[in-house]
Amino acid sequence: QVQLVESGGGLVQPGGSLRLSCVASGSIFSISAMGWYRQAPGEERDLVARISSEGTTNYAISVKGRFTISRDNAKNTVYLQMNSLMAEDTALYYCNVEGFFSDSSVFRSWGQGIQVTVSS
């Protein structure tokens, strides 16, 4: 099993910054992609940013230039630096990690979600 622990959310004023972290633990052999998704009330869960094992990144158009995703492979951790936050960024943010167990089976795990609220 894989456990994901998210941290760094909270309340911030428009224009402010937050940094989300997600640590993966458990019977992990290797991690391929890591990413962040978000879901606002009444809306679907959408991709925010994703990073491959080689470091290739892709972002939702709405956050490009404001958010930066990175990872520390030695710590099985993915980060999301969020700058110039806007009210529209308010949502529950979910960490997502894909990888392999030692028997080569694939896993895809989700975190519990962490709230980000942008409001004055």
Side-chain angles (χ1 to χ4, degrees):
Q1 292 189 354
V2 177
Q3 296 80 41
L4 303 182
V5 178
E6 300 145 329
S7 61
L11 173 65
V12 64
Q13 292 186 343
S17 298
L18 284 175
R19 188 192 195 207
L20 304 182
S21 300
C22 174
V23 181
S25 63
S27 304
I28 299 170
F29 179 73
S30 65
I31 293 177
S32 51
M34 308 180 84
W36 291 94
Y37 291 69
R38 67 186 181 187
Q39 186 169 19
E43 298 186 13
E44 295 185 351
R45 188 178 300 187
D46 294 323
L47 174 70
V48 176
R50 191 172 182 269
I51 184 168
S52 73
S53 56
E54 295 83 15
T56 301
T57 58
N58 60 288
Y59 295 91
I61 292 175
S62 61
V63 307
K64 197 171 288 187
R66 299 187 298 122
F67 291 11
T68 302
I69 190 170
S70 61
R71 61 191 282 173
D72 184 332
N73 293 327
K75 298 180 179 179
N76 286 349
T77 300
V78 61
Y79 305 97
L80 185 68
Q81 178 66 44
M82 305 184 292
N83 299 328
S84 303
L85 282 160
M86 305 183 294
E88 303 89 282
D89 297 315
T90 295
L92 198 58
Y93 283 69
Y94 294 90
C95 175
N96 176 264
V97 174
E98 303 172 14
F100 299 90
F101 295 116
S102 58
D103 64 356
S104 300
S105 60
V106 175
F107 70 84
R108 188 182 190 200
S109 295
W110 291 92
Q112 292 296 309
I114 190 165
Q115 181 67 38
V116 171
T117 303
V118 185
S119 175
S120 55

